[in-house]
Amino acid sequence: MEYILIFISAIFVNNIVLSQFLGICPFLGVSKKVDTALGMGGAVAFVMTLATIVTFLVQKYILEPMGLQYLQTLAFILVIASLVQMVEIILKKVSPTLYQALGIFLPLITTNCAVLGVAILVIQKDFNLLEAVVYAFSTAIGFALALTVFAGLREQLSLVKVPKGMGGMAIVLVTAGLLSLAFLGFSGVDGGLKILFGLD
């Protein structure tokens, strides 16, 4: 039941983009078309889950035993950048079709602060490895959901006549704010589920 709570909370209640404001750059930059948003969401889900596993192991088996916790951010950035490069090389050789589908998004993920944010949050929340994987994967699903919904809204906005003063990035930011308010409606759901299942 704890894993279901982590799953629901990460997707809806504490959405990485709309509640914690991490990963805003790809959220605004790659959300013009739904198919592009889905591609980015899939790539982020893969890399975020893999990066969380590796950074968790680096933290628990290298940094903590050696008393090097102060190098956490630097170590995690290096691990994520190396991992993305390694995944890119492997995909290019093993599955060229998947590489072509994700190829454009993989370099963008290296600079996506949501991946680093999740890796650090997992350590701060003191999750075990399984909880960390569930949290990372569900956070990535929440990211993909927000990105896809926002891309759908932007596609609809392109069909509507927007007032001249609200054109361009202004209407995009207003739409993002309204989407964030819509997700705010989920706040309290995880608390209600904890009470319902007696986990509080």
Side-chain angles (χ1 to χ4, degrees), residues 15-28:
N15 188 284
I16 195 86
V17 182
L18 302 172
S19 295
Q20 300 180 42
F21 307 109
L22 292 170
I24 296 290
C25 295
F27 180 69
L28 294 174

Side-chain angles (χ1 to χ4, degrees), residues 40 43-44 47-48 80 84 105-113 115:
M40 182 65 171
V44 166
V47 171
M48 193 179 279
I80 291 164
V84 170
F105 307 116
L106 284 171
L108 289 172
I109 295 167
T110 311
T111 57
N112 187 349
C113 60
V115 179

Side-chain angles (χ1 to χ4, degrees), residues 27 34 37 144-155 175 179 183:
F27 180 69
V34 172
L145 176 70
L147 197 65
T148 308
V149 170
F150 191 54
L153 290 170
R154 283 184 76 175
E155 279 187 359
T175 308
L179 185 60
F183 268 72

Side-chain angles (χ1 to χ4, degrees), residues 89-176:
I89 292 164
I90 291 167
L91 279 179
K92 200 172 186 177
K93 289 190 185 280
V94 175
S95 178
T97 51
L98 186 62
Y99 172 75
Q100 284 178 345
L102 302 178
I104 344 158
F105 307 116
L106 284 171
L108 289 172
I109 295 167
T110 311
T111 57
N112 187 349
C113 60
V115 179
L116 177 63
V118 168
I120 292 171
L121 282 169
V122 158
I123 304 302
Q124 286 177 350
K125 291 175 184 277
D126 201 30
F127 285 151
N128 62 41
L129 185 58
L130 188 56
E131 287 171 340
V133 171
V134 169
Y135 179 75
F137 184 69
S138 49
T139 300
I141 290 173
F143 178 82
L145 176 70
L147 197 65
T148 308
V149 170
F150 191 54
L153 290 170
R154 283 184 76 175
E155 279 187 359
Q156 290 299 311
L157 274 173
S158 65
L159 305 172
V160 177
K161 194 175 179 184
V162 178
K164 200 173 182 181
M166 286 294 290
M169 195 48 75
I171 193 69
V172 170
L173 292 173
V174 169
T175 308

